[in-house]
């Protein structure tokens, strides 16, 4: 199988590519624009493998996409602007990459009769839920420009299935954590700052609730959907640990040998969703998916990785960059 992976130099895309190539499970072309969060070092463990081709290019560029697309059996589309805070500051790259870029890819995949298109999305498209959990039938009600553009791209992908009969599948996952995550998102930002003895910013009262899934479990779910998902289907990839940000920070402080005196409570994020929760019955019942990495183990492994890979995160500059904004 030959797979085009967009955003394959980012946090989740690179984990997906490393996983496939380490098992010799496919040949892979990575298409990535190497924005601030894309990093060729994320692919170093598999660099030089004969199954890997890297193309430095933008999914918004129809000419590039048209050149790269032919010969692939499937597209797994991770490329996106992915940080909510950045979308509050400036929504325009979110609209062009997440919406327009997805449209460019769908058009090219249809023109070149690519077999399957897996569109990777997020629980954030549903907005906020106080109790219970969302099924895949829940209508989207996004709160931020990030989630609004992801919702728009999900709908475009599904429309290509309905209108053109394209073999499109959409996945929606909860918050991911693990190695190689650009240190602007909560876990790598807090861990890298705490390892340096620095201070960490916690939004509002810290009562926002998220589900946390290890990135390798997410990637295993995406691969299952790629190989066995129903055309036109939406699959939640969930079943991770549900924690308030306070509960998460408590664990991060303990893991890094710090305490609450390192935490600054800062003004809440604008439009901050209170809680996300996915019902993951469908992927479990249809495809036999269940997470394998428990949160305590996954978090310990993640903290160990950032401890041992200081050179990786110092070179990203992400920690200092976020310090300027909080
Ligand atoms: P990331 O920001 O780490 O990586 C995004 C990648 O896309 C980078 O390599 C970047 O260079 C590339 N990219 C951005 N714009 C591009 C463009 N115009 N053309 C080509 N490449 C471009 O993001 P991530 O956390 O790895 O997220 C990957 C996908 O998973 C996104 O679609 C995101 O919405 C989704 N997702 C993320 C999470 C999470 O917790 N991080 C949870 C659920 C879903």
């Amino acid at each position: 199988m030959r797979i085009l992976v967009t955003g394959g130099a980012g946090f989740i895309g690179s984990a997906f590519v490393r996983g496939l190539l380490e098992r010799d499970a496919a040949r892979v072309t990575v298409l990535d624009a190497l924005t601030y969060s894309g990093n060729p070092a994320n692919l170093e463990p598999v660099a030089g493998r004969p199954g890997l081709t890297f193309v430095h290019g933008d999914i918004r560029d129809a000419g590039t996409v048209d050149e790269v697309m032919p010969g692939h059996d499937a597209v797994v589309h991770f490329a996106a602007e992915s940080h909510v805070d950045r979308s509050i500051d400036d929504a325009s790259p979110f609209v062009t990459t997440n919406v327009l870029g997805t449209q460019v890819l769908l058009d090219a995949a249809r023109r070149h009769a690519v077999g399957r298109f897996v569109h990777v999305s997020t629980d954030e498209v549903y907005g906020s839920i106080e109790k219970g959990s969302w099924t895949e039938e829940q209508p989207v009600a996004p709160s931020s420009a990030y989630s609004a553009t992801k919702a728009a791209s999900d709908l475009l992908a599904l429309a290509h299935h309905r209108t053109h009969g394209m073999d499109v599948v959409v996945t929606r996952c909860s918050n991911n954590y693990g190695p190689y995550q650009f240190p602007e998102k909560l876990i790598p930002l807090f861990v890298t700052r705490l390892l340096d003895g620095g201070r960490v910013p916690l939004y509002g009262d810290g009562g926002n609730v998220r589900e946390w899934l290890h990135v390798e479990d997410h990637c295993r779910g995406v691969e299952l959907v790629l190989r066995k998902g129903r055309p036109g289907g939406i699959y939640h990839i969930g079943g991770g640990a549900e924690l308030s940000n306070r509960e998460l920070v408590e664990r991060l402080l303990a893991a890094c040998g710090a305490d609450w005196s390192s935490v600054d409570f800062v003004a809440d994020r604008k439009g901050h969703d209170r809680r996300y929760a996915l019902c993951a019955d469908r992927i479990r019942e249809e495809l036999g998916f269940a997470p394998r990495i428990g949160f305590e183990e996954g978090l310990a492994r993640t903290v160990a990785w950032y401890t041992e890979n200081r050179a990786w995160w110092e070179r990203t500059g992400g920690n200092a960059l976020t310090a300027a904004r909080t």
Side-chain angles (χ1 to χ4, degrees), residues 218-291:
H218 181 191
C219 291
R220 213 162 38 76
V222 170
E223 193 177 342
L224 266 178
V225 169
L226 165 68
R227 296 189 189 278
K228 297 193 202 155
R230 255 184 304 115
I234 301 173
Y235 290 88
H236 289 167
I237 304 180
E242 180 169 332
L243 294 171
S244 72
N245 285 345
R246 261 181 182 275
E247 291 168 326
L248 174 62
V249 170
E250 183 75 46
R251 285 165 173 75
L252 293 173
L253 292 169
C256 298
D259 61 34
W260 283 95
S261 63
S262 302
V263 180
D264 292 322
F265 284 83
V266 298
D268 206 357
R269 168 191 275 168
K270 287 187 195 170
H272 205 175
D273 287 328
R274 193 68 177 167
R275 177 171 175 266
Y276 301 138
L278 291 176
C279 167
D281 289 353
R282 177 178 289 172
I283 194 167
R284 190 184 62 246
E285 286 163 14
E286 282 186 27
L287 308 182
F289 174 82

Side-chain angles (χ1 to χ4, degrees), residues 7-13 31-39 57-60 77-82 97 120-123 146 150 173-176 181-182 185 218:
F11 164 48
I12 305 172
L31 174 61
D32 199 296
L34 299 179
T35 66
Y36 76 94
S37 68
N39 185 348
D58 196 312
I59 60 166
R60 294 168 290 191
H77 175 34
F78 291 97
E81 287 292 336
S82 67
T97 285
V120 177
S121 190
T122 165
D123 57 3
Y146 164 63
K150 290 299 291 186
C173 189
S174 54
N175 276 22
N176 283 216
Q181 186 170 27
F182 189 83
K185 308 261 169 76
H218 181 191

Side-chain angles (χ1 to χ4, degrees), residues 139-210:
V140 294
S143 307
S144 70
Y146 164 63
S147 52
T149 56
K150 290 299 291 186
S153 61
D154 293 14
L155 298 178
L156 276 174
L158 293 167
H160 279 67
H161 171 72
R162 281 286 292 273
T163 306
H164 301 294
M166 271 178 74
D167 182 355
V168 169
V169 197
V170 172
T171 63
R172 291 180 177 149
C173 189
S174 54
N175 276 22
N176 283 216
Y177 69 99
Y180 297 99
Q181 186 170 27
F182 189 83
E184 64 181 355
K185 308 261 169 76
L186 198 157
I187 290 183
L189 175 70
F190 276 41
V191 170
T192 55
R193 287 226 189 140
L194 292 170
L195 288 176
D196 268 350
R199 307 191 59 74
V200 290
L202 181 57
Y203 278 136
D205 64 359
N208 304 72
V209 174
R210 300 291 183 264

